[in-house]
């Protein structure tokens, strides 16, 4: 789901590949914004007990008048289902 960073963003793509464990989520909007905040919220449901890696590899952020990814940082982690 969209986070609180943008005002009323449009969800342009939302796909889930359960076999590969890949989520594609694309937001877009008209108004540019600068600052910090949550762009999206991801809710995960574990299928069985254990620990699974969580990666945001391949994440990209676009900006007006920029031709490259402006994403500063992502943090990998893991999910534990007990």
């Amino acid at each position: 789901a969209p986070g609180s960073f943008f005002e009323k963003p449009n969800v342009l793509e939302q796909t889930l590949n359960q076999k590969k464990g890949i989520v594609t989520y694309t937001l877009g909007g008209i108004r540019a914004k600068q600052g910090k905040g949550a762009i999206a919220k991801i809710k995960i449901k574990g299928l069985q007990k254990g620990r699974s890696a969580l990666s945001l590899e391949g994440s990209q952020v676009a900006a007006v008048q920029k031709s490259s990814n402006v994403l500063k940082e992502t943090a990998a982690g893991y999910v534990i289902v007990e």
Side-chain angles (χ1 to χ4, degrees):
S4 59
F5 185 73
F6 294 113
E7 292 180 28
K8 301 179 183 178
N10 297 314
V11 177
L12 304 174
E13 182 180 4
Q14 183 173 331
T15 58
L16 170 64
N17 183 325
Q18 290 183 342
K19 288 184 180 183
K20 292 184 178 182
I22 297 173
V23 174
T24 301
Y25 192 70
T26 307
L27 295 174
I30 296 173
R31 297 179 186 207
K33 185 172 179 181
Q34 183 177 4
K36 296 180 180 182
I39 293 174
K41 295 180 181 181
I42 302 169
K43 185 176 181 179
I44 298 169
K45 180 179 178 182
L47 300 177
Q48 59 187 359
K49 290 183 181 183
R51 178 176 163 155
S52 296
L54 178 63
S55 169
L56 299 174
E57 183 178 320
S59 297
Q60 296 184 12
V61 176
V64 175
Q65 298 181 352
K66 300 289 183 180
S67 61
S68 61
N69 188 1
V70 296
L71 180 63
K72 184 175 179 181
E73 179 181 14
T74 63
Y78 55 89
V79 177
I80 299 174
V81 178
E82 298 180 335

